Amino acid sequence: MKLHLKGRVAKLLIKNGNAVFPDGVKKCDILLQNGKIANIADCIDDDCYTIDASGKHIFPGLIDMHVHLREPGFEGKEDIESGSKAAVAGGFTQVCCMPNTNPVCDNAVVVTYIKHRADEVNLCKINPIGSITRGEKGEELSDIGKMANAGAVALSDDGKSVMDSKIMCLAMQYANDFGIKCLAHCEDAKLVDGGLVNEGKNSALTGLKGSVRAVEDIMIAREICLSESLSIPVHICHVSTYSGVQLIREAKARGVQVTAETCPHYFSLTDDIITSFDTNTKVNPPIREEIDRQAVIEGLKDGTLDCIVTDHAPHSVKDKQVEYALAAFGISGIETSFALSYTNLVKTGILTLPELADRMSAAPARILNLEGGEIASGAAADLTIADLEEKYVIDSSQFLSKGKNTPFNGSEVYGKIAYTIVDGEVKYKNV
Ligand code: DOR
């Protein structure tokens, strides 16, 4: 039975689970007290509320540093409450939400509003991301300092690139002055020229307008150049091309402070799927070819791509039930990310469980300087308990997100979220 729980318990004991630590998986008991991990030991006895985690795996609470919660302004697609319910059902204890709302999150008032709504809903931790430019128009900088002081954890014009290099350069400098980073959506606005899908055999077959890899790669290269010349960190959003992975790998090798993310659809699918004309396959950047999928997997394995995010982009039925060219870009991904990552990366022998925990929890915490990301005494009691043996079929009609738009409906996966625990409180239970 799926439950969202909000009751506060001072103490919680998790017994007999297999905890995923950076150096391996270890069976242990974990005591949570007053929102922190109080003790980790082979055997802890306490007559407080106890979860029997026998046969299950305990991960540091999953963190998704790239989601769209749509509130304020697009509550028909998602709102902070439905997005939070979906997040904890997906095993996420913490998310960072992109600013392409209405109004755009380009000032301290919207940042404060989002944090206030997150407190009211009180399920997962929600960190607002402020926009780089006012209204995401790419013309003048947003109130960077005020947003950072109000709690914005990063800046992004996600959905578009900041095409003016001078503005991006200034944004990276101001962001850095306030201890936050720019997260770069990489898409050359002119070169994309209305492209809908990856340019290649399948765009030719379907007649859908293609978008070449260079649309993404040119902007990845520009962000790397800025980061390198300024000696300021930058983070590359949703990498989808083999050539983009290579640009980042080479930049990292010469010491550029670049980090990067990718999403489950880029390591699970190829653009063969667009021949169905299913608009749930329409996403930006587009799903590409096998050479790209393999490079994304290799990038996640060798750490070129630091983390897995969902780019959770919920849309309403009317935004998707139209012809391909008119459909909105985006995949509702927060409830399928863990199972797709476990099934396609761990079960296939590509990543170990500690590597999965790193890519889905520790790495985003490191990149954005967030609490969590570890199972350690004294750390925040944010934990995700999963049953890795449990096989199930993804059924989007059961999503708690308002967005049912997924190309993975009907896919068989392993890895069911059993409990999501935030600050020591069980926020989701499905056992
Ligand atoms: O497919 C996408 N949808 N990519 C983005 O960058 C934005 C997102 C959205 O907001 O729907």
Side-chain angles (χ1 to χ4, degrees):
M1 186 180 38
K2 295 184 186 181
L3 272 180
H4 290 88
L5 303 162
K6 293 191 186 176
R8 179 171 283 279
V9 283
K11 267 192 193 179
L12 179 64
L13 178 61
I14 304 165
K15 280 199 77 76
N16 298 316
N18 303 299
V20 182
F21 296 103
D23 57 353
V25 178
K26 190 170 174 288
K27 193 165 174 197
C28 59
D29 293 351
I30 303 178
L31 181 69
L32 311 180
Q33 193 167 6
N34 299 326
K36 302 280 179 216
I37 298 177
N39 191 12
I40 305 168
D42 289 346
C43 182
I44 304 172
D45 286 315
D46 195 304
D47 65 1
C48 65
Y49 185 81
T50 301
I51 290 174
D52 175 16
S54 306
K56 298 189 175 61
H57 283 74
I58 307 172
F59 292 82
L62 306 181
I63 301 175
D64 188 346
M65 61 176 278
H66 188 146
V67 303
H68 298 269
L69 296 182
R70 308 299 192 201
E71 185 179 345
F74 300 111
E75 290 83 355
K77 295 174 189 276
E78 191 79 292
D79 58 40
I80 288 174
E81 183 166 358
S82 61
S84 299
K85 285 183 173 166
V88 293
F92 290 95
T93 55
Q94 188 163 195
V95 301
C96 303
C97 57
M98 285 295 176
N100 58 342
T101 48
N102 185 16
V104 166
C105 184
D106 60 7
N107 61 75
V109 174
V110 184
V111 171
T112 306
Y113 171 80
I114 293 168
K115 287 176 70 77
H116 172 73
R117 285 286 298 128
D119 285 347
E120 275 181 352
V121 169
N122 188 25
L123 284 169
C124 62
K125 295 174 183 172
I126 298 179
N127 306 293
I129 297 169
S131 68
I132 295 173
T133 64
R134 265 190 227 290
E136 286 203 342
K137 289 196 166 74
E139 291 160 5
E140 48 177 340
L141 291 176
S142 303
D143 296 338
I144 292 176
K146 287 184 184 150
M147 289 194 295
N149 289 336
V153 295
L155 299 177
S156 181
D157 270 7
D158 187 59
K160 331 176 185 161
S161 270
V162 176
M163 289 310 299
D164 185 323
S165 302
K166 176 70 187 172
I167 292 184
M168 190 63 178
C169 179
L170 284 173
M172 284 171 61
Q173 289 170 300
Y174 287 133
N176 193 50
D177 288 345
F178 286 94
I180 58 176
K181 283 180 193 169
C182 287
L183 319 181
H185 173 110
C186 292
E187 176 183 4
D188 185 298
K190 284 265 167 64
L191 190 57
V192 67
D193 193 26
L196 306 167
V197 295
N198 180 65
E199 166 106 25
K201 175 186 87 197
N202 287 316
S203 61
L205 258 174
T206 55
L208 295 171
K209 192 167 167 52
S211 169
V212 290
R213 292 184 181 86
V215 166
E216 183 171 342
D217 298 344
I218 286 170
M219 299 313 296
I220 294 178
R222 200 262 323 246
E223 310 309 21
I224 288 172
C225 289
L226 286 174
S227 167
E228 189 163 19
S229 18
L230 299 168
S231 286
I232 287 177
V234 72
H235 177 82
I236 308 296
C237 291
H238 39 51
V239 177
S240 73
T241 63
Y242 76 85
S243 29
V245 174
Q246 190 54 19
L247 284 167
I248 296 161
R249 183 177 288 121
E250 286 163 9
K252 283 190 168 187
R254 61 175 191 278
V256 181
Q257 300 171 67
V258 57
T259 53
E261 60 182 44
T262 191
C263 315
H265 36 278
Y266 301 121
F267 61 71
S268 304
L269 300 173
T270 68
D271 68 345
D272 285 346
I273 201 163
I274 68 163
T275 57
S276 65
F277 289 94
D278 177 359
T279 57
N280 290 319
T281 64
K282 184 175 172 185
V283 63
N284 186 20
I287 294 164
R288 303 197 190 263
E289 299 180 52
E290 184 59 14
I291 185 177
D292 303 285
R293 193 179 79 86
Q294 288 301 334
V296 163
I297 290 173
E298 190 50 43
L300 277 171
K301 177 70 189 167
D302 72 10
T304 299
L305 302 177
D306 301 78
C307 62
I308 298 169
V309 303
T310 62
D311 193 7
H312 177 65
H315 288 293
S316 62
V317 172
K318 74 171 178 22
D319 297 324
K320 285 288 193 181
Q321 260 185 15
V322 288
E323 67 180 89
Y324 208 93
L326 301 177
F329 286 98
I331 290 174
S332 177
I334 207 157
E335 288 168 82
T336 54
S337 181
F338 177 77
L340 288 169
S341 302
Y342 174 69
T343 306
N344 294 333
L345 298 174
V346 180
K347 259 195 123 36
T348 49
I350 295 158
L351 294 189
T352 62
L353 284 173
E355 285 169 340
L356 183 69
D358 179 73
R359 308 303 185 263
M360 297 193 76
S361 178
R366 267 195 313 271
I367 293 167
L368 294 184
N369 208 7
L370 306 172
E371 65 172 352
E374 57 176 347
I375 303 179
S377 267
D382 293 352
L383 298 170
T384 303
I385 306 181
D387 185 339
L388 300 181
E389 296 306 316
E390 187 153 339
K391 185 162 75 167
Y392 66 97
V393 173
I394 293 172
D395 176 359
S396 57
S397 71
Q398 298 300 306
F399 282 1
L400 299 172
S401 168
K402 291 184 189 177
K404 316 294 180 197
N405 47 302
T406 174
F408 294 106
N409 197 32
S411 301
E412 195 174 83
V413 287
Y414 287 84
K416 195 191 80 173
I417 301 299
Y419 295 89
T420 305
I421 299 169
V422 182
D423 282 335
E425 292 180 32
V426 178
K427 298 295 189 178
Y428 176 79
K429 176 177 169 186
N430 188 13
V431 285

